[in-house]
Amino acid sequence: MKADNEQRIGLLYGIGAYGMWGLVPLFWPLLKPAGAVEILAHRMVWSLAVVGVALLALRRWGWIRELLRDPRKLGLITVAAAVITVNWGVYIWAVNAGQVVEASLGYFINPLVTIAMGVLLLKERLRPAQWAAVGIGFAAVVVLAVGYGRPPWISLVLAFSFAVYGLIKKKINIGGLESLAAETAVQFLPALAYLLWLGSQGSADFGAHGAGHAALLAATGIVTAVPLVCFGAAAIRVPLSTLGLLQYLAPVFQFLLGIVYFHEAMPAERWAGFSLVWLALSMLTWDALRTARRNKAEAVRLTRATRAASASAATVPDGVTSVVLPDGATATVPDPVAATVPDPAKRPEPAA
């Protein structure tokens, strides 16, 4: 019962996180007439302040000393900060330039780009359904390029930058709040220097349009940190397969906002391109759920086989042991030979 309650709470946290990420296009236009670069700089500065307060309240500082002793992780953090800077900047610019639909496409195709990078960079093996999904995704980009009269570069930059960012984060392997604190610490000095330079030139928008506008610029830190906290709370309570489905909430909300709220055009060729993307994602999701069920069933079978082997070993005479062979049969063998019989508990999982 307690586990079910925890999963329900985790599901709410996950919906909250991806819901906020999906509705964030409503926030960036409120910061006009500030430009995208100034908004980005404020986001970096205020995010560090908000995350720093959160870590101080939680008393989570031990990771800093460990990080400073690891030059490799420091280097990866710096690269991650640079990549997410590009992602944030392009996204803010796209929303305020009336390109919300194209921006949403970037997060729709991000899973496909991540899979393609796994093949090219990590030499991962794909299942047939994954190959088909990647191929359909590529065809969708071609269709959209024809429709736009140019490659959908906003979508591609967002998708590739976030995929690279995810790959780096996987190698860094530290918590979400800690990672954001480290990345914004790298961004902080350049961002603060830019804001101070704007102020010295009389071009800064902070404080020039009233206290409300200044408060909204400062709130960029909260807008960045709160969804991340909710995501972290969801990640420890719900299965990854559930999070994998919830991740589509954000681009769906962004897409709907682009059409319904911002009234962006959607000619037939864009609908065709988006439909291909959705088909590819449906195949990807179906394949992931099917594979997860197979792996779970295999794990249950191996667990039962191991228990059966243990029970059989307890009933055979001294000097021999009973084992369950890979094909499910049971054999009684002398102890010296038992070590050479394959242990079903160590059978590798199906190739990804």
Side-chain angles (χ1 to χ4, degrees):
M1 190 66 164
K2 184 178 179 181
D4 290 340
N5 287 335
E6 283 293 298
Q7 283 210 7
R8 279 194 289 269
I9 293 171
L11 186 62
L12 291 175
Y13 274 123
I15 293 172
Y18 285 108
M20 283 185 278
W21 279 323
L23 296 175
V24 78
L26 297 172
F27 178 72
W28 303 123
L30 300 177
L31 306 181
K32 293 180 179 180
V37 178
E38 183 177 359
I39 295 171
L40 175 63
H42 277 287
R43 186 178 191 181
M44 295 171 178
V45 170
W46 294 108
S47 292
L48 180 60
V50 171
V51 175
V53 170
L55 291 174
L56 183 62
L58 296 171
R59 298 182 179 180
R60 281 159 53 177
W61 296 104
W63 59 275
I64 296 177
R65 186 177 302 171
E66 181 182 345
L67 180 61
L68 293 175
R69 291 175 179 173
D70 192 334
R72 177 179 172 274
K73 276 192 176 181
L74 279 174
L76 289 173
I77 285 285
T78 302
V79 176
V83 173
I84 202 61
T85 296
V86 173
N87 183 275
W88 285 357
V90 170
Y91 186 76
I92 293 168
W93 176 86
V95 171
N96 284 357
Q99 301 291 335
V100 176
V101 169
E102 189 176 346
S104 74
L105 175 64
Y107 293 103
F108 274 125
I109 66 175
N110 172 251
L112 301 172
V113 172
T114 299
I115 289 174
M117 288 181 62
V119 173
L120 296 175
L121 301 180
L122 304 180
K123 308 302 180 184
E124 293 179 352
R125 295 174 58 189
L126 297 188
R127 296 182 291 274
Q130 291 176 311
W131 276 116
V134 171
I136 293 171
F138 178 78
V141 171
V142 173
V143 170
L144 288 165
V146 172
Y148 279 106
R150 57 171 176 80
W153 69 267
I154 294 174
S155 306
L156 294 174
V157 169
L158 291 174
F160 276 93
S161 61
F162 204 70
V164 171
Y165 179 69
L167 179 63
I168 297 171
K169 293 268 281 189
K170 187 176 180 180
K171 292 181 177 295
I172 295 171
N173 193 28
I174 63 175
L177 273 179
E178 292 85 348
S179 179
L180 181 60
E183 292 156 20
T184 50
V186 172
Q187 298 168 331
F188 180 79
L189 287 179
L192 182 62
Y194 176 74
L195 293 175
L196 292 175
W197 177 79
L198 277 183
S200 69
Q201 299 296 309
S203 303
D205 286 289
F206 186 78
H209 306 285
H213 185 263
L216 286 172
L217 284 170
T220 53
I222 297 174
V223 169
T224 301
V226 171
L228 185 66
V229 172
C230 291
F231 174 80
I236 62 175
R237 289 176 170 88
V238 299
L240 286 177
S241 57
T242 303
L243 281 179
L245 294 174
L246 288 177
Q247 71 175 324
Y248 297 124
L249 282 178
V252 165
F253 284 172
Q254 293 165 13
F255 176 78
L256 292 175
L257 282 174
I259 295 175
V260 176
Y261 183 80
F262 293 103
H263 305 292
E264 293 184 21
M266 277 294 291
E269 57 270 21
R270 290 190 193 177
W271 280 112
F274 270 86
S275 297
L276 286 173
V277 170
W278 295 331
L279 173 61
L281 293 178
S282 298
M283 293 181 63
L284 204 60
T285 303
W286 168 77
D287 178 70
L289 292 175
R290 182 186 62 170
T291 302
R293 284 195 295 267
R294 283 182 178 177
N295 289 342
K296 185 177 180 179
E298 180 72 4
V300 170
R301 190 187 69 79
L302 291 176
T303 300
R304 290 175 178 172
T306 303
R307 289 175 179 173
S310 299
S312 300
T315 61
V316 297
D318 292 339
V320 296
T321 185
S322 178
V323 296
V324 179
L325 298 175
D327 61 359
T330 302
T332 301
V333 297
D335 277 338
V337 181
T340 66
V341 179
D343 183 351
K346 296 180 180 179
R347 184 187 296 179
E349 294 184 358

